[in-house]
């Protein structure tokens, strides 16, 4: 059936091939926008740059990664991507980039990001995440996250791409 779930496993020898495969899947889906969950593998292969180079909008959905993206920066820490930013820095950034009122109140900043990202989740054509473990035989993807963005990224868009390195 046309609406049946389908899983395909792709193998890539290097970053260039991985980006080519992922871009091909996104283009075949007619993607104009992509939401991404935190993934060090996609950071390492510079997936955002490859997608954006093809005209696809990419939005990071992990709060720290989202802040780094808005600032035009790379993550500074594997667990806390914007460890180098104060809440005042984030308030000024949201004011400049999102047109939000300047605040340094963490709950207000979180709410601003949540509202902005909710629109991105609902409009996205493709969701991309990392994977902590996969089972190729049946398409199972295990993904550990703590913000809820992983659930939205894997379920809101009609296509989900999980990217995993092999060690």
């Amino acid at each position: 059936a046309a609406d049946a779930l389908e899983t395909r496993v792709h193998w890539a020898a290097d970053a260039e091939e991985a980006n080519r495969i992922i871009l091909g899947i996104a283009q075949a889906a007619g993607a104009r926008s992509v939401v991404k969950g935190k993934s060090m593998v996609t950071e390492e292969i510079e997936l955002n740059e490859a997608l954006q180079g093809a005209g696809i909008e990419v939005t990071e959905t992990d709060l720290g990664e989202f802040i780094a993206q808005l600032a035009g920066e790379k993550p500074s820490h594997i667990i806390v991507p914007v460890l180098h930013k104060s809440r005042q820095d984030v308030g000024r950034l949201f004011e400049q980039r999102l047109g939000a009122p300047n605040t340094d109140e963490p709950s207000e900043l979180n709410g601003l990001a949540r509202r902005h990202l909710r629109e991105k989740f609902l409009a996205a054509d493709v969701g991309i995440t990392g994977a902590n473990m996969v089972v190729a035989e049946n398409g199972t993807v295990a993904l550990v996250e703590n913000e809820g963005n992983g659930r939205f990224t894997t379920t809101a868009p009609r296509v989900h791409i999980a990217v995993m390195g092999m060690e």
Side-chain angles (χ1 to χ4, degrees):
D3 62 349
L5 295 177
E6 180 179 340
T7 299
R8 293 185 191 162
V9 176
H10 300 266
W11 297 90
D14 57 23
E16 183 180 328
E17 185 178 7
N19 285 336
R20 190 171 47 252
I21 290 168
I22 296 164
L23 180 58
I25 294 167
Q27 289 174 327
R32 293 177 317 276
S33 66
V34 165
V35 287
K36 279 185 59 235
K38 186 175 190 173
S39 165
M40 290 312 297
V41 173
T42 62
E43 192 69 36
E44 291 168 356
I45 67 173
E46 298 181 339
L47 178 61
N48 287 7
E49 293 80 358
L51 293 169
Q52 291 165 339
I56 298 173
E57 177 190 38
V58 179
T59 302
E60 293 288 351
T61 64
D62 171 86
L63 182 57
E65 298 278 338
F66 173 67
I67 292 166
Q69 183 181 40
L70 280 180
E73 300 171 359
K74 292 283 186 189
S76 62
H77 187 275
I78 191 169
I79 305 294
V80 188
V82 287
L83 184 62
H84 62 288
K85 291 207 174 295
S86 69
R87 63 184 195 214
Q88 291 80 12
D89 293 336
V90 174
R92 284 188 295 275
L93 180 66
F94 282 11
E95 179 183 32
Q96 294 165 358
R97 298 299 309 274
L98 302 180
N102 192 337
T103 181
D104 66 357
E105 182 59 44
S107 62
E108 290 177 28
L109 293 169
N110 191 39
L112 289 166
R114 178 177 285 147
R115 286 188 293 280
H116 178 80
L117 290 171
R118 181 68 50 103
E119 293 176 21
K120 298 294 184 179
F121 284 123
L122 296 175
D125 303 299
V126 172
I128 300 175
T129 64
N132 296 100
M133 182 184 73
V134 298
V135 180
E137 289 81 8
N138 63 17
T140 298
V141 175
L143 180 61
V144 179
E145 54 95 12
N146 66 346
E147 293 181 15
N149 62 317
R151 281 189 305 278
F152 272 123
T153 303
T154 60
T155 59
R158 68 184 185 281
V159 174
H160 171 233
I161 301 170
V163 183
M164 185 180 94
M166 296 288 290
E167 283 91 20

